[in-house]
Amino acid sequence: MSLSKSDIAEGIRGLAAADTGTGGLFGSPALITGWFWKIAPANQSYPYVIFDIVDVSSDDAFAKDIVEVVFRVRVINTLETTGLTPGLTTSSGIVNRIYSLIHRSTPTIGVGTWVASEIQRINGTENADEDHTEFVEEFRFYMTATAK
């Protein structure tokens, strides 16, 4: 059975969607207004998350198939020009929450013969324009076929 980006994306999103407790991404009150694939809806209120899969590459390792998955999570928030609060503080808190949820966790991918490794953070950067800030975190994990 082959892996699809849709299956992988649902597994990654599932890690975040399960964070519904106090102080969670989707808790009450929620830290973010939404978690979107590639692009947010027009006029989406801040802060929100956009994620996408950067690369899915496969390799044969002896008798097993291995797939490396690299994905990016972007925290988008208003640009705060009057100090560190609330823009930078809020965005940093969301990034830290995502890191604690994703790094070293194992996504559940709904494909029967594949097993995921723990997720590892690769790097993080920050960008800004005149309207918003963007914190970008990249992660990677591997999928191994249990049968060929």
Side-chain angles (χ1 to χ4, degrees), residues 19-31:
D19 189 27
T20 59
T22 303
L25 294 175
F26 294 97
S28 182
L31 290 179

Side-chain angles (χ1 to χ4, degrees), residues 50-54 70-74 136-139:
I50 296 173
F51 84 109
D52 66 300
I53 297 172
V54 177
V70 178
F71 66 96
R72 182 179 300 130
V73 176
R74 297 167 32 210
V136 182
E137 297 289 311
E138 283 192 351
F139 298 89

Side-chain angles (χ1 to χ4, degrees), residues 3 13 21 34 50 74 109 124:
L3 283 171
R13 188 186 189 294
I50 296 173
R74 297 167 32 210
I109 310 293

Side-chain angles (χ1 to χ4, degrees), residues 53-134:
I53 297 172
V54 177
D55 186 39
V56 178
S57 55
S58 61
D59 196 8
D60 286 330
F62 301 104
K64 302 250 182 192
D65 290 329
I66 297 176
V67 174
E68 178 186 27
V69 177
V70 178
F71 66 96
R72 182 179 300 130
V73 176
R74 297 167 32 210
V75 175
I76 313 295
N77 202 358
T78 57
L79 181 62
E80 181 58 47
T81 58
T82 58
L84 294 179
T85 307
L88 179 60
T89 302
T90 301
S91 296
S92 295
I94 294 167
V95 168
N96 289 340
R97 186 71 179 207
I98 290 170
Y99 175 84
S100 69
L101 287 170
I102 292 178
H103 182 70
R104 296 190 169 261
S105 63
T106 304
T108 301
I109 310 293
V111 180
T113 61
W114 291 87
V115 176
S117 70
E118 285 186 347
I119 297 172
Q120 301 169 331
R121 180 182 177 271
I122 301 171
N123 62 46
T125 60
E126 179 187 349
N127 304 305
D129 64 19
E130 52 282 333
D131 297 324
H132 69 277
T133 60
E134 176 182 65

